[in-house]
Amino acid sequence: MEEVQQSKSVRETATHLETKGFTKNPTRPLLKPATVESDQSSISRHRNRLWRIQQYQKLKRSKNKAKKQRRKQREIARKRDGTAVPQPRTIESMREVDDTRVNIDDGETMEDIEADEMQSALLGETPAKVLLTTNRPPRLATRRLLRGLRDVIPESQTFWRAQVSLKKTLIPGCIGAGFTDLVVVNQGARGVPDGLLLTHLPDGPTARFKLTSVKYWRDLKSTGDKKSRTDINRRSSTRHHPELILKNFDTRLGTTISRMLTSLFPQQPQYTGRQVVTLHNQRDFIFLRRHRYIFRNSERVAIQELGPRLTLKLRSLQKGTFSSRFGEFIWVHQRHRMEANRRRFQL
């Protein structure tokens, strides 16, 4: 009687497992389902994790293949009908019209812009000479950033600042020594750089930025071939004057910031160094990148990122040199008012 009941329970268990999709062969472990299901909801019900991963990968490959096929058919249809490629809807493409956007055809506006404090530096009449320092005795991360900025800005010097007053001592000393710009890297409480102060000398203006996403040349992923990946090539970057690329500084405020950043660099690039510094503005974030291009042959060109890599966010623009008490602010970032509409940008 017990054997009959036991065989009956075995048959019921086998039937139940078969209905769930598992084999009823007792010589093999109950790990592999008998049928391959492509439905995502049915895949998630199985207990075998390795099999689920394989089926999800197959499902993803089939979806990508179908998506690629649909894209190819749309491209063939557009070529046949002669229709243009639709532009993607992004925040930049839906940007609201701003009254402060600069029109290069407006002669009066361009004359007003070119009459600012940076005009002599941009014309090359005053050679660039930049002093790099910190707000407090620098730690390791801040020293690494200063060395990286010294490589990016050719005509720059580093000053390890101690208890020196910025307004009373440092700025007058820089003006007397013939410096055209002063860059102060703000070091946070944890010893990590989190801000940057840029003052154009001798008459200003002064811009304060928030500093994020700092990566040094050691932290960057290797690019190019094995010869260009070596740390020796990155470390041996020359002091040639780089080419400068600025993009998307469209408003009046953005034009002022771009001219301040441009005045940090010599205005005559040395093309033998093959170095490019890019300042790209996207959604009011300024991305700084530095590359060197390598000629493989007459047709192929590769680029290598030299670093450092960082992101700037404008916080305030002050008239004249830095003054924490009596400074006249031209523009101050107000988060709740200026960032309420994501399609409105300041730079």
Side-chain angles (χ1 to χ4, degrees):
M1 188 66 179
E2 294 179 358
E3 294 180 356
V4 174
Q5 292 179 355
Q6 185 177 3
S7 61
K8 185 178 180 180
S9 62
V10 170
R11 287 195 302 270
E12 291 177 354
T13 304
T15 305
H16 176 70
L17 292 175
E18 188 177 2
T19 56
K20 291 296 183 179
F22 291 90
T23 60
K24 58 180 181 180
N25 187 358
T27 61
R28 305 180 65 181
L30 298 177
L31 292 178
K32 183 178 179 181
T35 59
V36 178
E37 301 172 1
S38 59
D39 187 16
Q40 186 173 357
S41 60
S42 60
I43 292 175
S44 61
R45 290 198 296 264
H46 291 287
R47 293 179 296 176
N48 189 347
R49 180 175 176 271
L50 295 178
W51 183 85
R52 290 200 308 268
I53 293 174
Q54 293 176 359
Q55 297 307 311
Y56 278 129
Q57 291 175 351
K58 289 181 181 179
L59 184 62
K60 186 177 181 180
R61 285 195 296 267
S62 63
K63 287 183 177 180
N64 292 339
K65 186 176 180 180
K67 185 177 180 181
K68 186 177 181 181
Q69 188 67 24
R70 291 194 300 268
R71 188 186 300 117
K72 190 174 182 179
Q73 292 176 358
R74 288 196 300 267
E75 186 178 354
I76 294 174
R78 280 196 296 266
K79 289 182 180 180
R80 183 180 65 250
D81 301 337
T83 58
V85 180
Q87 296 296 328
R89 289 174 59 87
T90 60
I91 295 180
E92 287 82 3
S93 63
M94 296 186 293
R95 178 176 181 175
E96 292 185 354
V97 179
D98 194 348
D99 296 336
T100 63
R101 297 192 71 171
V102 176
N103 185 9
I104 59 176
D105 297 330
D106 189 354
E108 183 177 355
T109 303
M110 296 306 298
E111 288 180 2
D112 189 16
I113 292 174
E114 293 174 355
D116 59 6
E117 297 86 349
M118 286 76 70
Q119 182 66 13
S120 61
L122 297 179
L123 292 177
E125 300 174 357
T126 305
K129 188 178 179 182
V130 184
L131 182 67
L132 305 172
T133 185
T134 58
N135 65 328
R136 62 178 69 183
R139 295 187 181 179
L140 178 60
T142 309
R143 290 199 298 266
R144 290 175 63 187
L145 178 60
L146 285 180
R147 294 191 187 101
L149 292 176
R150 186 178 58 190
D151 293 337
V152 173
I153 305 172
E155 303 298 332
S156 60
Q157 301 178 19
T158 305
F159 174 66
W160 305 115
R161 178 184 171 194
Q163 302 298 329
V164 179
S165 174
L166 179 63
K167 177 66 177 177
K168 298 180 180 179
T169 307
L170 191 57
I171 292 179
C174 291
I175 296 175
F179 286 96
T180 59
D181 292 276
L182 174 64
V183 177
V184 181
V185 177
N186 185 76
Q187 180 178 266
R190 297 183 178 181
V192 179
D194 59 358
L196 190 142
L197 184 73
L198 172 60
T199 300
H200 185 73
L201 302 175
D203 301 322
T206 300
R208 185 172 63 89
F209 300 91
K210 180 182 178 181
L211 183 63
T212 56
S213 304
V214 180
K215 281 193 175 182
Y216 311 98
W217 62 271
R218 293 180 183 272
D219 304 328
L220 298 176
K221 292 184 178 180
S222 300
T223 56
D225 58 7
K226 292 183 179 180
K227 293 182 179 180
S228 64
R229 287 184 202 158
T230 59
D231 294 341
I232 297 176
N233 281 345
R234 282 213 181 109
R235 194 177 301 163
S236 61
S237 59
T238 60
R239 300 285 289 179
H240 288 87
H241 299 174
E243 302 175 55
L244 193 61
I245 299 176
L246 293 98
K247 190 175 182 181
N248 292 343
F249 293 91
D250 300 328
T251 64
R252 184 66 177 270
L253 177 64
T255 304
T256 303
I257 297 301
S258 66
R259 290 171 68 86
M260 289 184 66
L261 296 173
T262 305
S263 63
L264 295 173
F265 298 87
Q267 303 306 306
Q268 297 296 330
Q270 298 173 345
Y271 298 102
T272 55
R274 299 177 283 111
Q275 297 183 23
V276 181
V277 174
T278 305
L279 292 165
H280 176 76
N281 173 42
Q282 184 174 1
R283 304 180 188 181
D284 291 341
F285 289 92
I286 304 173
F287 300 93
L288 186 145
R289 301 291 185 267
R290 177 172 172 243
H291 295 85
R292 173 170 55 192
Y293 49 90
I294 305 169
F295 293 102
R296 303 298 186 199
N297 49 44
S298 59
E299 297 180 355
R300 294 182 57 197
V301 179
I303 60 173
Q304 176 192 26
E305 187 170 0
L306 300 175
R309 177 192 298 181
L310 53 89
T311 304
L312 300 173
K313 174 78 171 180
L314 183 65
R315 290 304 184 191
S316 65
L317 181 65
Q318 184 179 351
K319 189 175 181 180
T321 57
F322 173 77
S323 178
S324 58
R325 294 182 60 185
F326 306 105
E328 180 183 351
F329 287 92
I330 303 173
W331 182 89
V332 178
H333 179 258
Q334 299 176 3
R335 178 181 176 183
H336 298 287
R337 185 176 65 86
M338 297 180 178
E339 296 183 3
N341 189 350
R342 296 182 61 191
R343 294 183 295 175
R344 184 178 300 167
F345 304 118
Q346 308 299 321
L347 300 182

